[in-house]
Amino acid sequence: MVNVDRHLADDEELVHATRQHWTQMVGEFVVLVLVWAVAGALVWVIPSGQDWGTVARYGVLGLAVVVSVWFWLRPLLIWRSTVYIVTTKRVSVREGFLTKTGHSIPLARVNDVEFRATLWERVLREGTLTIQSGSEHGTLALKHVPDPEGLQGLIYAAVEDEQRSHQWGSAVPPVTG
């Protein structure tokens, strides 16, 4: 579950929040397994009766830890800290573990929401949403989104409700999902 309460303003409610699809981490997991398989094989092959062998084993294990942190833990933290948020007022992307960045588009400025999913992405139920706005920043791309068609529908419904509430006042209840 994604906790986004700290990203909400007082006058908005959460419609939907998600992370990138879990398949984003499959390649990194394969690298992790390969790194430790190679490290294990090297530690097993290095002779144990000599002083240089002990140093070499610790060197291999240290290198495996560094490579694991760089190629698995760092991407995991980036994936974990990337959140796509749809509220009753805006669509936002928040990302970053040490350096935080964010990009929001007010629903009133959304012109078009387009999704793209290759055959493989359709099998995995993921894709990319591109949100075009009437602002100077232009577009917002949400990559590796779970169920892009469903999220596209939620965004369109939230945009419709936002436009109705501007047109008729705030008498229309917000979309929840």
Side-chain angles (χ1 to χ4, degrees), residues 20-21 23 84 114-118 121-122 124-130 142-149 151:
Q20 292 180 326
H21 199 268
T23 56
Y84 302 137
E114 172 186 319
F115 83 91
R116 181 178 187 282
T118 64
E121 289 173 333
R122 286 178 38 214
L124 295 174
R125 294 191 47 137
E126 72 166 297
T128 300
L129 277 179
T130 304
L142 310 179
K143 297 179 180 179
H144 305 286
V145 176
D147 188 22
E149 290 181 76
L151 186 55

Side-chain angles (χ1 to χ4, degrees), residues 73-176:
L73 185 60
R74 187 182 61 87
L76 177 68
L77 293 174
I78 291 169
W79 173 81
R80 182 103 169 100
S81 64
T82 301
V83 181
Y84 302 137
I85 305 166
V86 180
T87 70
T88 54
K89 300 288 183 188
R90 61 195 164 117
V91 179
S92 301
V93 175
R94 299 285 183 250
E95 53 193 349
F97 182 69
L98 296 175
T99 303
K100 301 271 188 184
T101 60
H103 186 180
S104 297
I105 295 179
L107 291 177
R109 292 200 172 254
V110 171
N111 291 340
D112 186 34
V113 181
E114 172 186 319
F115 83 91
R116 181 178 187 282
T118 64
L119 177 61
W120 182 246
E121 289 173 333
R122 286 178 38 214
V123 168
L124 295 174
R125 294 191 47 137
E126 72 166 297
T128 300
L129 277 179
T130 304
I131 303 168
Q132 295 186 1
S133 73
S135 70
E136 62 188 48
H137 294 293
T139 62
L140 178 64
L142 310 179
K143 297 179 180 179
H144 305 286
V145 176
D147 188 22
E149 290 181 76
L151 186 55
Q152 180 189 35
L154 282 173
I155 292 172
Y156 275 135
V159 167
E160 244 179 62
D161 285 347
E162 177 68 11
Q163 288 173 348
R164 255 189 299 202
S165 71
H166 276 294
Q167 196 173 37
W168 300 104
S170 0
V172 178
V175 172
T176 57

Side-chain angles (χ1 to χ4, degrees), residues 4-39:
V4 296
D5 292 337
R6 66 180 183 267
H7 300 298
L8 298 177
D10 292 337
D11 63 338
E12 64 185 351
E13 294 179 29
L14 180 66
V15 174
H16 186 74
T18 189
R19 288 192 173 88
Q20 292 180 326
H21 199 268
W22 63 268
T23 56
Q24 190 66 12
M25 293 303 300
V26 169
E28 285 77 4
F29 182 74
V30 169
V31 168
L32 179 70
V33 169
L34 287 175
V35 163
W36 284 101
V38 169

